[in-house]
């Protein structure tokens, strides 16, 4: 049974959010996406469209197709910038 791509993307976004220790509010402010949309997306009550898939990929500094990869893991020591400060992942590694 194949897992729908929007479920895969949702799970990968959750991995990224947790790895970077980000709040929904921070993601919303820094990505320019609506807070309510982000909360519904992460809770599974909203599907991710292609436009926002690309926006999340740019926000997390990864390729869009990685969000659709069912075997995706967050890259260790990957940096993103929030409010002019870098956030680095140290907890998860890419296999």
């Amino acid at each position: 049974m194949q897992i729908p791509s929007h479920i895969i993307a949702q799970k990968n976004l959750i991995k990224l959010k947790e790895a970077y220790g980000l709040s929904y509010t921070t993601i919303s402010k820094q990505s320019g996406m609506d807070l309510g949309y982000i909360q519904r997306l992460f809770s599974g009550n909203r599907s991710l469209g292609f436009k926002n898939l690309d926006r999340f990929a740019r926000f997390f500094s990864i390729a869009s197709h990685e969000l659709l990869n069912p075997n995706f893991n967050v890259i260790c020591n990957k940096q993103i910038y929030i409010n002019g400060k870098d956030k680095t992942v140290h907890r998860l590694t890419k296999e």
Side-chain angles (χ1 to χ4, degrees), residues 50-67:
F50 287 112
K51 178 181 175 183
N52 287 332
L53 177 81
D54 187 53
R55 288 175 79 178
F56 275 114
R58 280 182 291 165
F59 174 75
F60 284 111
S61 300
I62 60 172
S64 298
H65 71 271
E66 287 289 339
L67 288 173

Side-chain angles (χ1 to χ4, degrees), residues 1-5 8:
M1 183 171 151
Q2 187 174 6
I3 302 170
S5 60
I8 295 169

Side-chain angles (χ1 to χ4, degrees), residues 25-45:
T25 303
T26 299
I27 294 171
S28 173
K29 286 180 181 177
Q30 296 298 309
S31 69
M33 288 185 267
D34 180 70
L35 177 60
Y37 169 77
I38 290 172
Q39 291 171 324
R40 289 187 301 276
L41 177 70
F42 277 78
S43 68
N45 294 320

Side-chain angles (χ1 to χ4, degrees), residues 66-78:
E66 287 289 339
L67 288 173
L68 301 173
N69 179 354
N71 300 313
F72 175 76
N73 285 305
V74 179
I75 299 171
C76 188
N77 295 322
K78 182 78 174 178

